[in-house]
């Protein structure tokens, strides 16, 4: 659950600030701050652990919650960022 929450928060922030910065600051913000904040490595370890324990349904739910939900929040906050900018 903690990995999922961190990924949702990081994706929400990335969506909100998407296309608001350019150049070196863009790279620092997205790859440095948001990239290191979200926890793909922890996600991979958790997913591998579930699969290796043959908890396939839990692994599928974990995968969907992290990937799909993170993208949904990215998109929602991207739209929110557009609305606030105008």
């Amino acid at each position: 659950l903690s990995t999922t929450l961190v990924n949702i928060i990081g994706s929400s922030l990335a969506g909100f600030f998407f296309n608001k910065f350019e150049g070196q600051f863009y790279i620092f913000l997205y790859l440095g701050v948001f990239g290191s904040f979200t926890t793909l490595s922890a996600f991979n370890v958790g997913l591998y652990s579930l699969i290796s324990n043959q908890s396939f349904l839990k692994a599928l739910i974990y995968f969907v919650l992290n990937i799909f939900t993170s993208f949904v929040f990215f998109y929602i906050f991207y739209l929110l960022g557009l609305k606030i900018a105008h």
Side-chain angles (χ1 to χ4, degrees):
L1 184 60
S2 59
T3 301
T4 303
L5 289 175
V6 167
N7 288 336
I8 288 171
I9 292 167
S11 296
S12 297
L13 291 171
F16 185 78
F17 291 108
F18 191 68
N19 287 333
K20 299 218 181 352
F21 303 102
E22 296 178 6
Q24 296 287 20
F25 191 72
Y26 170 84
I27 293 169
F28 168 76
L29 187 64
Y30 285 91
L31 298 181
V33 176
F34 298 138
S36 63
F37 180 69
T38 57
T39 54
L40 184 58
S41 57
F43 166 73
N44 288 333
V45 169
L47 184 61
Y48 176 78
S49 177
L50 289 170
I51 290 171
S52 66
N53 290 328
Q54 297 183 344
S55 298
F56 299 115
L57 181 59
K58 287 182 182 178
L60 179 64
I61 292 168
Y62 183 69
F63 179 83
V64 169
L65 277 177
N66 272 280
I67 302 302
F68 179 75
T69 307
S70 292
F71 179 75
V72 166
F73 274 86
F74 171 88
Y75 190 68
I76 289 169
F77 277 80
Y78 166 72
L79 295 175
L80 181 65
L82 288 177
K83 248 185 191 234
I84 290 173
H86 293 325

